Amino acid sequence: MNSSLDTQSGPLGPQSWSENDRLAALESYAILDTPTESEFDDLVRLAAETFGAPIAVVNLVAGNRQWFKAELGIGARELPLDVSICAHAILQNDFMVVPDTMEDSRFACNPLVTAEDGLRFYAGALLRSDEGLPIGTVCVLDRVPRPAGISDHQRLVLEVLARQVMVQLELRKTMVAQSIRADELSETIRERTIAMRELRSVEERYRLVGRATNDAIWDWDFASNQVTWNEALETVHGYAPDTVEPTGEWWIEQIHPDDRARVDNSIHAAIDGTADSWSDEYRFRRADGSYAAIFDRGHIIREDAGKAVRMIGAMLDLTERQQSRAELSMNEERLRLATQAAEVGFWDVDVIHDILIWPPIVKRMFGISADVPVSMLDFYEGLHPEDRPHTSAAFAAACEPEQRALYDVEYRTVGKEDGIIRWVAAKGRGIFDEMDRCLRVVGTAIDVTERKRKEAELYELNQHLERRVAEEVAEREHAEEALRQAQKMEAVGQLTGGIAHDFNNMLAVVIGSLDLLNRRVGVSDPRAKRFIDAAHEGAQRAATLTQRLLAFSRQQPLNPEVLDANKLVPNMSDLLSHSIGTDIRLETVLGAGLWRTHADRNQLESAILNLAVNARDAMPEGGRLTIETQNVYFDERHVAANFGVPIGQYVMITVSDTGIGMPPDVIAKAFDPFFTTKAVGKGTGLGLSQVYGFVRQSGGHVKIYSEDGAGTTIKIYLPRYIGEDAEPEGQWGSDLLLGEQKEVVLVVDDEPAVRQFSVDALTELGYRVLEADGAVAALRLLDAHPEITLLFTDIVMPDINGRKLADEARKRRPGLKVLFTTGYTRNAIVHNGVLDPGVALISKPYAIEELAAKVRAAIEA
């Protein structure tokens, strides 16, 4: 039995270790602040039962606290280190027993001891790491002193329990280490598996590349002087594998004698030196005795000491490339000479490396000498300050992958060396790789300074003319003369407009009816045929009179040329966009296979611009401006009814807006000189008059279609130019596509004469026909006659228009066929929101042959 306080040092002696080492040993077990575990809880219960003590703990002493892995009788998982009794056991470095703490000076001020019912007895065995460092204790405590201390058996139990705690801690530590090692081993196996897979993939790719490429790939092992070739040595150069000596000397012997020594020296210099790679060009003898131009390159593999052990390379056959390079050089020279003759300059921007390539002709446009190097900074600094924003934006749009816009701009330059301002027209396009990254932007540039000067002079001349007109109108004497002229032209315009609107429509019905009558009477009644011919001749003379009234002269100097309206209209897009503003959306509808015309380019552009500006003023709240091109053919009936131009083929340019429209009285005067609906000072009234005079003098015609509040459409018709490559003229077929009596057509038109002509024409074509003067009557007929095959309706009608009528009819008869007719062009109506794409439409006026074809197509659709 220990009967006295044991304060002797243990085998290591007091503090024979450093505190840092001890704390590191404790941390290595990763036990602090872990949850309770039954294995440790059982140990403290066994200790308490062995000593008959109310308190037992497995205590771990950290740097600033003592933490209990298991406790009995404490009620807490940790306590401050300054009240710790176990800390003294750590300092003592041995088993510690305190029979009565009140008699031990070390605990005289410890509140856990001095408190009422405080701790009066302590016995603890140290927990030691593998290195013998104390990390805590297994101890028992009592609130009454035990002067007799503890027995040997009790001490043995505490020491055994301490060893059991350490066994559990070491087991946990070992399991954690094994888990980490297992994870590391698993990761190592995974990485090795991936590496082996990648190695096999690389080897397979190398094998496939060796078979697929046209390059002769070689692998030279210096130790054995063994050279391995791929299949390209035979396919490209003709050497069968069994005829090739697999050595470096064989390869050297096939090099042209004039190149052999140079190549031999260069490759051995690279191998014997420290280079990582080698490349050279030479002539290589093929199996047939001819020589191939070769670019050869190889990679040298060295051991750690730097000695070359292996070299892998590929022979690129440059023969075809050199031939192509020579041809390309010749073509480039031809292109250079051609562009010099045309004064067109090519430019190339390397976007990735910010490199600009300009030939001398482009440098001259920026006032830079031919031998001076340039960069993109020279380009941007050379732009006129007013043109820099939109030019830079256009270039950025060409580089943007999502836009890929065509770079098409005109800008001014300020010469870097001479300070001269020049005008340049530039076009270009971006070149993108498979990753949608812009690599280059290439294009052309033309000096258009002279053209701009002439345009400015023409503009100044027009401005001067308007000023002169305004000054003369302001003067009383000249104003009276201008007023008399305006009144005279207004009278002519009223007469012409009235005849064009009313008399020509009636003539169309008259001539069409006579044509139908002539088909019905034929040669069976010669006398009646004479009467018909006489009436037809009179109607034609009346139509000719109307045509002459429409053809009053407009005098203006013209410079006609062969034009393609499908190129002219898109080229005006920027100008039109700037003129109409951002609140109006510009759309173009270009007809396929458009014919060419013969007209003055400047006057035509001015006419389109005038119409666009008028359309802009008619849409103060914004809207849509549509410009359309189309081929049209005018036969006798079209000419007589509406246009007053020679029969034949025409190019039609249509300008449509979604603006406020024009009432009939304004349309009638629209082309009269000096007539305008704009406020004083906002217009001269010469715009549409100039358009009309130009078109008429060019052998064409202008037509206005408008409804108050429903937009305006103006059509320009110019004669087709027939050149050596002209298309053959289209003709309406003479054979009519006839209907069947069982097919019933319902004709709806609020104009009686036009409706009657349509009824007669369709009857003549073999259809049963019903007629209605409006939508209400038409719907009643549809309900009463389920046999109706086709609804043939005008679009523009009072109350309910043709489109609404068709919608209501199809609600009742979903399978009903519908054919619309209107004075508006198909695309203009569609894009102004009147008709959806794909509906059947025939434009007024129409020939009986066209009517027959359209009706047949609508029924069979």
Side-chain angles (χ1 to χ4, degrees), residues 74-349:
I74 296 294
R77 294 298 301 275
E78 66 176 57
L79 290 173
L81 195 60
D82 55 2
V83 298
S84 173
I85 298 176
C86 291
H88 292 281
I90 296 295
L91 293 174
Q92 183 173 300
N93 200 19
D94 200 358
F95 196 100
M96 187 174 89
V97 177
V98 184
D100 190 347
T101 56
M102 291 294 289
E103 296 180 1
D104 194 320
S105 62
R106 292 177 294 179
F107 309 114
C109 297
N110 190 321
L112 297 180
V113 174
T114 59
E116 183 179 355
D117 197 26
L119 301 176
R120 299 292 299 277
F121 168 77
Y122 175 89
L126 291 177
L127 300 175
R128 295 185 184 276
S129 68
D130 286 345
E131 298 85 2
L133 298 171
I135 61 172
T137 63
V138 174
C139 61
V140 293
L141 299 98
D142 201 346
R143 301 187 185 279
V144 295
R146 296 189 180 188
I150 64 174
S151 65
D152 291 338
H153 173 71
Q154 289 175 323
R155 175 171 180 152
L156 178 62
V157 169
L158 275 184
E159 289 176 340
V160 170
L161 292 177
R163 288 196 293 273
Q164 285 297 317
V165 169
M166 290 308 303
V167 167
Q168 290 293 331
L169 293 181
E170 291 293 342
L171 179 61
R172 288 170 53 91
K173 184 176 181 180
T174 301
M175 291 177 65
V176 170
Q178 288 178 345
S179 176
I180 294 173
R181 178 57 183 158
D183 291 342
E184 291 175 348
L185 183 59
S186 176
E187 179 64 19
T188 300
I189 293 173
R190 189 185 69 83
E191 291 177 353
R192 187 169 300 174
T193 302
I194 293 174
M196 292 296 293
R197 189 182 301 120
E198 291 177 349
L199 178 60
R200 286 194 297 269
S201 176
V202 169
E203 291 175 344
E204 178 65 13
R205 285 200 298 270
Y206 176 78
R207 185 184 66 83
L208 293 176
V209 167
R211 295 185 60 185
T213 184
N214 286 330
D215 292 356
I217 299 176
W218 47 267
D219 186 345
W220 189 0
D221 187 335
F222 298 141
S224 62
N225 194 28
Q226 179 83 11
V227 178
T228 304
W229 297 87
N230 71 335
E231 297 175 1
L233 185 66
E234 180 177 8
T235 58
V236 177
H237 301 291
Y239 288 105
D242 56 356
T243 65
V244 176
E245 180 184 336
T247 64
E249 287 75 18
W250 178 88
W251 165 67
I252 291 291
E253 290 174 359
Q254 312 314 313
I255 297 176
H256 193 283
D258 294 343
D259 302 334
R260 189 176 300 157
R262 171 176 55 81
V263 175
D264 193 9
N265 291 335
S266 69
I267 193 169
H268 281 94
I271 294 171
D272 296 338
T274 60
D276 293 329
S277 62
W278 162 86
S279 63
D280 209 336
E281 292 189 23
Y282 55 85
R283 288 162 289 179
F284 183 78
R285 184 173 58 212
R286 300 189 180 100
D288 60 7
S290 63
Y291 281 91
I294 295 295
F295 174 71
D296 205 345
R297 66 278 193 205
H299 177 71
I300 303 172
I301 301 173
R302 300 181 182 276
E303 60 185 12
D304 293 341
K307 180 182 178 181
V309 296
R310 189 178 176 190
M311 189 173 184
I312 301 175
M315 294 166 47
L316 174 62
D317 193 335
L318 301 177
T319 307
E320 292 185 5
R321 183 175 300 182
Q322 289 181 348
Q323 293 174 352
S324 299
R325 188 179 300 168
E327 294 175 359
L328 178 61
S329 178
M330 182 179 297
N331 291 334
E332 288 177 344
E333 179 63 14
R334 290 173 181 166
L335 181 60
R336 184 185 65 81
L337 294 174
T339 54
Q340 282 183 353
E343 296 186 346
V344 177
F346 285 92
W347 49 267
D348 189 341
V349 178

Side-chain angles (χ1 to χ4, degrees), residues 607-819:
I608 295 174
L609 181 60
N610 267 326
L611 297 180
V613 171
N614 283 347
R616 176 201 66 192
D617 295 340
M619 296 183 285
E621 302 299 326
R624 183 190 304 112
L625 175 65
T626 304
I627 301 179
E628 174 194 5
T629 64
Q630 185 178 336
N631 294 329
V632 296
Y633 176 80
F634 294 153
D635 64 358
E636 220 174 270
R637 294 178 180 83
H638 286 89
V639 171
N642 289 291
F643 296 99
V645 293
I647 294 171
Q649 297 170 329
Y650 289 80
V651 175
M652 181 179 70
I653 302 175
T654 303
V655 179
S656 303
D657 65 60
T658 57
I660 58 177
M662 293 187 287
D665 59 331
V666 173
I667 296 175
K669 302 177 182 179
F671 291 125
D672 288 351
F674 306 106
F675 176 81
T676 180
T677 58
K678 298 177 183 178
V680 176
K682 297 296 184 180
T684 63
L686 293 174
L688 287 179
S689 178
Q690 289 176 343
V691 172
Y692 184 84
F694 153 67
V695 175
R696 296 296 292 168
Q697 192 171 349
S698 300
H701 186 67
V702 185
K703 189 77 172 178
I704 298 179
Y705 299 88
S706 184
E707 294 181 20
D708 199 3
T712 300
T713 297
I714 299 180
K715 299 180 181 180
I716 296 175
Y717 300 92
L718 296 173
R720 177 186 179 183
Y721 173 77
I722 305 297
E724 293 181 357
D725 57 344
E727 299 279 349
E729 294 189 2
Q731 299 287 343
W732 294 112
S734 58
D735 296 332
L736 297 181
L737 298 175
L738 302 179
E740 301 177 8
Q741 282 298 319
K742 65 179 180 180
E743 295 172 327
V744 181
V745 180
L746 173 59
V747 176
V748 185
D749 200 309
D750 62 320
E751 182 65 37
V754 177
R755 184 174 69 251
Q756 185 59 51
F757 169 68
S758 299
V759 170
D760 292 341
L762 289 168
T763 302
E764 181 72 16
L765 291 173
Y767 299 98
R768 288 179 56 203
V769 184
L770 301 174
E771 61 178 298
D773 61 356
V776 176
L779 291 173
R780 285 200 298 267
L781 287 173
L782 280 169
D783 292 337
H785 295 275
E787 72 273 14
I788 291 176
T789 308
L790 174 71
L791 172 64
F792 179 41
T793 178
D794 189 17
I795 293 177
V796 180
M797 294 189 297
D799 298 331
I800 301 176
N801 63 32
R803 176 58 186 271
K804 293 181 179 178
L805 168 60
D807 291 341
E808 182 61 32
R810 279 176 169 159
K811 289 180 182 178
R812 306 180 185 196
R813 298 269 303 278
L816 181 65
K817 307 294 185 180
V818 179
L819 175 61

Side-chain angles (χ1 to χ4, degrees), residues 362-375:
V362 180
K363 291 181 180 179
R364 190 161 60 246
M365 298 176 192
F366 284 77
I368 299 174
S369 300
D371 57 346
V372 175
V374 292
S375 66

